[in-house]
Amino acid sequence: MLKIKPIREKSEQERLCTLCDVEYKETYLAYGAYEDEAPLGISQFIISGNAGYISEIAPVKDTFDAEAMFILGRGVENFMDIVGAHDAYYNGEDTPFIRSLGFSESEGKLYMNLSAFFADPCKNKK
């Protein structure tokens, strides 16, 4: 069963970063994607005021489960929205996958407004 959940232990965050070949950011929050207990990916992000900054949504090295990564990204976006960080920025590479999550270029940055995004998700299909 696919599980998307916050990573509460820094040792687990660091382990997933290693598996996903991304830099571990100790001060960042993180969510992980798991199939049963097998890790599939990680997203690290930080919240500052009313904005959230996602540094990556990364799969385990040499894999890419598109559905799991999409749901992981949506989970992070939803969390940021719930806590009031309605301006979301993606600080990683601009890819079709990141754009499928709702990010688009605004003033040279990948941005999305999360205000009411999850209130009526059918209106927000891309």
Side-chain angles (χ1 to χ4, degrees):
M1 175 196 309
L2 178 64
K3 296 178 189 174
I4 307 299
K5 59 186 180 181
I7 300 172
R8 301 195 189 286
E9 301 294 326
K10 290 298 179 182
S11 60
E12 176 64 3
Q13 182 178 342
E14 187 171 19
R15 180 180 85 87
L16 251 64
C17 286
T18 299
L19 291 173
C20 297
D21 200 25
V22 296
E23 177 189 346
Y24 167 60
K25 297 174 178 81
E26 184 178 2
T27 60
Y28 279 50
L29 301 169
Y31 268 50
Y34 301 85
E35 181 66 41
D36 296 318
E37 295 305 315
L40 298 174
I42 189 168
S43 180
Q44 295 185 104
F45 60 99
I46 195 161
I47 295 172
S48 179
N50 66 346
Y53 302 87
I54 301 172
S55 64
E56 63 267 313
I57 300 170
V60 169
K61 191 174 170 184
D62 298 327
T63 71
F64 187 79
D65 182 326
E67 181 179 21
M69 294 298 97
F70 186 84
I71 296 169
L72 174 61
R74 281 288 193 251
V76 170
E77 291 170 344
N78 188 52
F79 175 78
M80 291 191 312
D81 184 46
I82 287 169
V83 300
H86 302 298
D87 292 318
Y89 296 90
Y90 184 74
N91 295 331
E93 184 181 342
D94 185 356
T95 65
F97 168 72
I98 294 304
R99 290 193 178 247
S100 78
L101 288 170
F103 288 94
S104 59
E105 191 170 332
S106 176
E107 299 179 15
K109 297 178 182 177
L110 290 170
Y111 170 79
M112 105 181 255
N113 185 325
L114 296 172
S115 296
F117 183 83
F118 292 97
D120 192 356
C122 293
K123 284 175 84 174
N124 295 307
K125 281 185 149 181
K126 290 218 174 216

